[in-house]
Amino acid sequence: MDTGRWTVWCARALSGRRADVVPLLAGLREAADDGPAYDRAAALDALGHAPVTLLLHLDRHARPGGLTKRPDDPGPADLLRLVTGSFDADGRLREAAVEGLAGSGGPLPAAALTLRTVDWVPAIRRKAAAAVLARGAPDEVAAVVRLLLRLEGRRRAGGLLAAYREVLSGPAHRRAVRALAADSDPPARRFGVELALDLGDYVHGDLLRTALHDHDQVCRRLCAQRLLDLDPGQAGRLLRAGGAGVRELAVAALPADVPAARLVPLLADRARMVRAQARWQLYQRGEPPADVYRRQLVKALRVQAPPSALLAGLATGLGECGDAADTELLARLLGREPAVVRRAAARAVGRLAKPDELIGLLAPLANDSDPGVAREVFEALARVPDGIPAETAWIGRVRREPAVRRAAERVRRR
């Protein structure tokens, strides 16, 4: 028998469509009733390795319908029969399955029990909740939390997630909490990191390492905020973080007397939220950010080969807080290489220039070799749709890039 079909069926059922879930349900019920031991083991293995959302889909589409065998049938009460029985339409079979799963260890029984904590039969909910609260092994904790987070909004959830969080706060579950903080499921991992922070499990090195290098932005921000609460002096080290959210927190934690020169890279940051926070630092001490942008942009243009990221960032920031008088300075960047500088300059000119200046400044860039520049041009020309030359409009309609054509079409509709 091809036991690999379980993996295929599970992958299809993750779509959540009834047409994909019902064949898996039927196969599980058939295997639970009459399948050989090795096939039941393969089915359990596929269920155990599938994402947690699969169990939610199975539970949603399992009724109406049920197993061919009832609780008083003499068939073997193995784990697969208990799991499939927990989805059944018959309350007697679900209750018997919950009682059997309560005595079974492992993440799959823990997940199946967690689903029954929102059962519509109060007696089943109580038994399932009591069994779930007793789960403390790291792999079982992960399975329970993954599902509780997804069931929390249901009416019958009854605050079980908060109760389980209290259980995990005990000293006996510290290892499970640290494992949960490294879980592969993003919501469960964030829950674990937040709980570990509340319990004080992270030292300064853990907080700094997570804030700088973690792949999840929520975990990065949580650890960065806790680190800054404990030691605001770490803000300077967090400024080099890859996550914009962490850099924003670091800028906000800088001392009020930080030199304006140190804020220049932050004023030209690639992330809007970091630029805004750096400008707020200047506003708080009465220094207009636009003046800093102008001085730094003039200074950069005097250099033989200024960094393109700095030029683009300064142009973008000046476009966000400058005025029409800055158009002449920004226009000096419209012909510079590389394209990232022209894109930023075109965007800034499009925001600040007077309407009667837009066409003369930006229309020549409609045929730019970089599609991003051309798109910014047509986004800006939407301010003056009636005055666009026919040849410029034609260029926008015949460009290959879909984004440029869409921007030109929006101008035409206006």
Side-chain angles (χ1 to χ4, degrees):
M1 182 178 295
D2 179 20
T3 55
R5 73 190 190 284
W6 296 113
T7 302
V8 176
W9 281 349
C10 289
R12 289 176 181 168
L14 285 173
S15 68
R17 295 189 296 266
R18 183 171 181 80
D20 295 327
V21 178
V22 168
L24 175 59
L25 279 167
L28 290 172
R29 287 165 172 165
E30 182 180 355
D33 287 347
D34 304 307
Y38 66 85
D39 196 45
R40 295 199 301 272
L44 288 171
D45 184 68
L47 288 176
H49 285 89
V52 68
T53 51
L54 178 63
L55 293 180
L56 294 170
H57 298 324
L58 289 173
D59 190 49
R60 184 170 72 250
H61 294 295
R63 297 169 292 275
L67 291 172
T68 56
K69 296 183 181 294
R70 314 314 297 175
D72 52 355
D73 287 338
D78 61 0
L79 180 56
L80 183 59
R81 172 169 285 203
L82 293 174
V83 171
T84 53
S86 69
F87 302 139
D88 202 78
D90 192 320
R92 296 175 303 154
L93 189 53
R94 294 199 311 280
E95 187 171 7
V98 166
E99 294 171 355
L101 289 169
S104 303
L108 184 57
L113 280 170
T114 307
L115 274 177
R116 299 275 57 83
T117 61
V118 293
D119 198 278
W120 59 92
V121 178
I124 298 177
R125 288 203 303 272
R126 288 194 296 269
K127 290 182 178 180
V132 163
L133 292 175
R135 301 280 170 158
D139 57 348
E140 295 178 336
V141 168
V144 170
V145 170
R146 290 173 188 175
L147 274 171
L148 285 179
L149 288 169
R150 290 163 171 84
L151 298 173
E152 186 182 12
R154 298 196 183 184
R155 179 171 54 87
R156 301 188 185 96
L160 186 59
L161 180 62
Y164 196 58
R165 193 180 191 277
E166 288 295 322
V167 171
L168 295 179
S169 299
H173 297 95
R174 293 300 174 90
R175 188 168 68 92
V177 171
R178 291 303 295 260
L180 191 62
D183 196 72
S184 58
D185 183 61
R189 185 163 182 270
R190 294 164 186 171
F191 178 90
V193 169
E194 188 174 3
L195 180 56
L197 290 174
D198 290 345
L199 297 177
D201 282 357
Y202 282 1
V203 297
H204 275 53
D206 296 330
L207 295 172
L208 181 62
R209 183 170 53 252
T210 305
L212 289 178
H213 305 297
D214 198 90
H215 63 273
D216 186 89
Q217 62 176 339
V218 176
C219 296
R220 289 196 301 265
R221 283 187 64 98
L222 286 172
C223 291
Q225 187 62 67
R226 180 56 56 89
L227 180 62
L228 292 171
D229 291 342
L230 296 174
D231 185 5
Q234 297 289 330
R237 304 181 70 178
L238 294 179
L239 289 176
R240 67 176 189 268
V246 175
R247 297 200 303 277
E248 179 192 16
L249 293 175
V251 174
L254 288 173
D257 58 349
V258 61
R262 192 179 178 189
L263 291 175
V264 171
L266 305 170
L267 291 167
D269 196 273
R270 63 183 181 274
R272 179 190 294 268
M273 63 179 71
V274 180
R275 296 193 302 270
Q277 191 62 245
R279 289 196 294 270
W280 178 243
Q281 285 279 12
L282 295 176
Y283 278 126
Q284 285 182 308
R285 58 197 195 192
E287 189 171 355
D291 291 344
V292 178
Y293 276 117
R294 293 179 190 117
R295 289 197 302 268
Q296 294 299 324
L297 193 53
V298 170
K299 182 179 177 181
L301 287 172
R302 291 174 182 165
V303 179
Q304 182 69 26
S308 58
L310 177 63
L311 279 180
L314 291 173
T316 301
L318 183 56
E320 292 168 343
C321 65
D323 53 42
D326 298 313
T327 303
E328 182 180 355
L329 177 59
L330 291 168
R332 296 167 61 184
L333 302 176
L334 291 174
R336 292 186 69 103
E337 294 288 348
V340 64
V341 177
R342 299 198 302 279
R343 282 199 299 270
R347 186 183 311 115
V349 168
R351 295 185 61 175
L352 300 181
K354 297 176 181 178
D356 56 353
E357 298 176 340
L358 275 177
I359 294 176
L361 290 171
L362 296 183
L365 294 176
N367 204 24
D368 194 275
S369 59
D370 182 74
V373 176
R375 181 177 59 82
E376 293 293 347
V377 166
F378 284 102
E379 293 285 357
L381 292 180
R383 292 173 54 191
V384 287
D386 294 334
I388 298 177
E391 60 272 18
T392 302
W394 177 82
I395 289 173
R397 290 196 299 270
V398 300
R399 292 267 315 207
R400 290 184 177 183
E401 300 83 11
V404 179
R405 292 201 303 271
R406 285 195 295 268
E409 178 60 23
R410 286 193 291 271
V411 176
R412 188 194 67 79
R413 287 199 298 268
R414 288 192 180 187

